[in-house]
Amino acid sequence: MSSWYWWMILGMAMVTYIPRAIPLTFLEGRELPEAVQSVLRNIPYAVLGALIFPAVFFIQENIWFGVVGAAAAFVIAIAGANVMIVVLGSIAVLAIFSGFF
Amino acid sequence: MNGREFSAGLKAGTSIAIGYFPIALTFGLLAKTTGLSLLEATAMSIFVFAGAAQYIALSLITAGVAPIVIVLNTFVVNIRHFLMTASLNEKMVPDARWKKALYAFGITDETFSVLATQKDHKLTTTFAAGVIIIAYGSWVVFTSIGHLIGANLPQFLQAAMSVALYAMFIGLLVPSMRGNRKVVSLALIAGVINSLFYFTEWLSTGWAIMVSTLASAVFIEWISRKGGRKS
């Protein structure tokens, strides 16, 4: 591949970095209005919802993979396990599950 | 540098490293079939560090799309990080601007969710560095390995591992949901709105995640203020 590839990488790196860096550096030491702060505090949980649904159901062509995997993760997490156990546990459940298909 | 903070960060980031393993491996593999050299594939992971955007770039390269369009597409896909880093800024202890500019590079969906759901009220730069370094290391190293081995993991294992990152998101969300209706509604409403965008194809994924997150966060804030005033 030729030099255009490296220009493209450079461009991709810049446009990926800018949205990550501007809020963290420009907002430093600046007090935002109370309402904006509250909305920003809501963001993590809303983002998690949007990242999980509906994508988790389409991790494989067989939709049951996603359903079983999400259910396994949910049950293990409800039981109080830490995140690592949730991740490894749901992979294990799906590995066994795939034996049936 | 506080060693204990750093290793706590490494520990908190380990689930990301596991989640990145199959995705980075597959990326390396696909990059090879796309015709990228080991150096080029690894360089993309080193400099860009953005899963979805990198996958899309591969498919656009295959389709012969102009590099400038690929760059624009990357921007659109990653613009949602504006929202995440603005939110994360509330959670981080103030620090020198250059340090924040440095760790800003490492904010992905995954590192953001791990950092943002930590129980301590304020997080140190050192802790964030731990989370980011282990996640980034996994992403870069397994990109190379994927390209090098050029062969798949067993099919059943690959399929099973595709759940890893979502399992992590669920594992991060559930403890905060317990007895907290606000958190449940925030996640649920964002998930429902995002599903709407997904099935109607009104917005592409990057915009859809951003709009549904913002809509849910603003809506719940508005509801809770109204409720607060009444009581």
Side-chain angles (χ1 to χ4, degrees):
Chain A
M1 214 144 288
S2 46
S3 69
W4 68 262
Y5 181 83
W6 295 97
W7 286 109
M8 184 192 76
I9 291 263
L10 181 69
M12 287 178 72
M14 276 166 49
V15 298
T16 304
Y17 181 67
I18 288 167
R20 288 174 177 174
I22 286 183
L24 275 170
T25 52
F26 270 66
L27 295 177
E28 178 70 43
R30 237 171 258 193
E31 189 77 1
L32 295 169
E34 228 288 300
V36 176
Q37 283 188 36
S38 309
V39 168
L40 288 177
R41 275 195 291 271
N42 285 344
I43 298 280
Y45 308 109
V47 163
L48 284 170
L51 287 173
I52 298 168
F53 301 110
V56 67
F57 298 122
F58 305 109
I59 53 171
Q60 296 293 315
E61 295 211 349
N62 181 351
I63 196 165
W64 285 105
F65 244 83
V67 174
V68 169
F74 198 75
V75 168
I76 300 169
I78 288 266
N82 78 30
V83 182
M84 187 91 66
I85 305 296
V86 175
V87 171
L88 295 176
S90 41
I91 291 173
V93 167
L94 276 185
I96 296 166
F97 175 76
S98 66
F100 295 98
F101 279 87
Chain B
M1 216 49 170
N2 178 336
R4 206 181 318 150
E5 284 279 317
F6 185 69
S7 54
L10 289 178
K11 204 172 148 217
T14 308
S15 48
I16 309 179
I18 295 175
Y20 278 174
F21 164 73
I23 301 174
L25 208 68
T26 314
F27 175 76
L29 216 67
L30 284 177
K32 186 177 195 172
T33 58
T34 306
L36 303 189
S37 68
L38 174 64
L39 186 66
E40 288 165 341
T42 311
M44 200 193 273
S45 285
I46 289 175
F47 295 113
V48 182
F49 189 32
Q54 289 182 226
Y55 269 96
I56 296 169
L58 285 187
S59 65
L60 295 180
I61 290 173
T62 310
V65 170
I68 183 75
V69 177
I70 300 179
V71 171
L72 284 175
N73 198 286
T74 304
F75 182 62
V76 169
V77 171
N78 289 327
I79 207 165
R80 66 181 186 280
H81 290 142
F82 254 118
L83 213 54
M84 296 188 200
T85 44
S87 164
L88 188 64
N89 197 48
E90 301 288 306
K91 179 109 186 140
M92 302 302 302
V93 292
D95 209 332
R97 204 166 276 187
W98 68 270
K99 286 186 191 169
K100 300 186 83 178
L102 204 60
Y103 73 70
F105 171 78
I107 305 303
T108 61
D109 294 350
E110 293 77 19
T111 53
F112 168 75
S113 17
V114 165
L115 290 171
T117 52
Q118 292 299 313
K119 286 280 171 272
D120 315 332
H121 186 57
K122 289 281 183 181
L123 298 178
T124 62
T125 304
T126 317
F127 181 85
V131 171
I132 286 165
I133 283 171
I134 193 164
Y136 182 61
S138 166
W139 183 248
V140 171
V141 168
F142 288 115
T143 297
S144 299
I145 293 179
H147 193 285
L148 280 172
I149 62 172
N152 276 322
L153 285 174
Q155 189 55 47
F156 86 97
L157 197 58
Q158 228 184 68
M161 291 191 95
S162 58
V163 80
L165 287 179
Y166 298 102
M168 183 184 82
F169 292 143
I170 292 170
L172 291 170
L173 183 59
V174 165
S176 320
M177 284 169 98
R178 285 160 172 258
N180 193 333
R181 267 172 49 203
K182 191 175 180 185
V183 169
V184 176
S185 335
L186 278 165
L188 220 58
I189 292 173
V192 167
I193 301 175
N194 193 45
S195 302
L196 184 78
F197 288 132
Y198 182 91
F199 292 111
T200 57
E201 296 180 355
W202 282 341
L203 289 177
S204 61
T205 314
W207 286 108
I209 288 177
M210 181 156 136
V211 171
S212 37
T213 298
L214 197 57
S216 172
V218 170
F219 178 71
I220 292 296
E221 183 52 31
W222 180 66
I223 290 281
S224 65
R225 272 174 192 243
K226 247 174 92 177
R229 222 174 287 143
K230 244 180 260 164
S231 59

